[in-house]
Amino acid sequence: MARDEQGRAIGCGALRPLQPGVAEIKRMYAGVAGRGVGSAVLAALEAKAKSLGYGEIRLETRRVNTLAVRFYLRAGYREIPPYGLYVGRPEAVCFAKPIGSTSA
């Protein structure tokens, strides 16, 4: 959870195990575009996943959410084939990024 100086929530995100060695980012949100909130939340999630021993992170967003698509591409994520619930859903776009550890 990211908070501003007054303690108001301005960003959040969660991790969940997807498969051995792979975590998935869920419900990532930044309420203030262009102020680094999204980058800070993403960096914190990646660091947490790495500290838990994950070697890769995956995520899904809507294809029409071009801001999010560009954000993840700039952050080093690459588009991958749909996985899990996203298979056969053309509105979904999935991404993955290696983060270095592989023991989870």
Side-chain angles (χ1 to χ4, degrees), residues 21-23 25 42-43 46 49 54-59 71-80 94-101:
V22 180
I25 291 178
L42 184 60
E46 289 175 350
Y54 291 102
E56 181 178 275
I57 294 180
R58 293 184 188 170
L59 60 92
F71 171 78
Y72 292 121
L73 290 171
R74 279 193 314 271
Y77 286 77
R78 70 186 192 293
E79 188 172 343
I80 61 171
C94 297
F95 294 96
K97 180 179 179 180
I99 57 169
S101 190

Side-chain angles (χ1 to χ4, degrees), residues 8-95:
R8 294 178 297 228
I10 58 172
C12 65
L15 287 173
R16 74 176 189 122
L18 188 61
Q19 62 189 54
V22 180
E24 182 180 35
I25 291 178
K26 297 296 290 181
R27 307 291 185 251
M28 194 173 130
Y29 171 79
V32 185
R35 299 199 45 208
V37 174
S39 295
V41 170
L42 184 60
L45 290 169
E46 289 175 350
K48 183 64 175 179
K50 189 172 182 177
S51 77
L52 292 171
Y54 291 102
E56 181 178 275
I57 294 180
R58 293 184 188 170
L59 60 92
E60 176 273 342
T61 193
R62 299 264 176 172
R63 195 170 294 281
V64 297
N65 189 347
T66 57
L67 288 175
V69 169
R70 287 193 306 265
F71 171 78
Y72 292 121
L73 290 171
R74 279 193 314 271
Y77 286 77
R78 70 186 192 293
E79 188 172 343
I80 61 171
Y83 61 89
L85 297 174
Y86 311 115
V87 173
R89 297 184 63 187
E91 72 277 10
V93 60
C94 297
F95 294 96

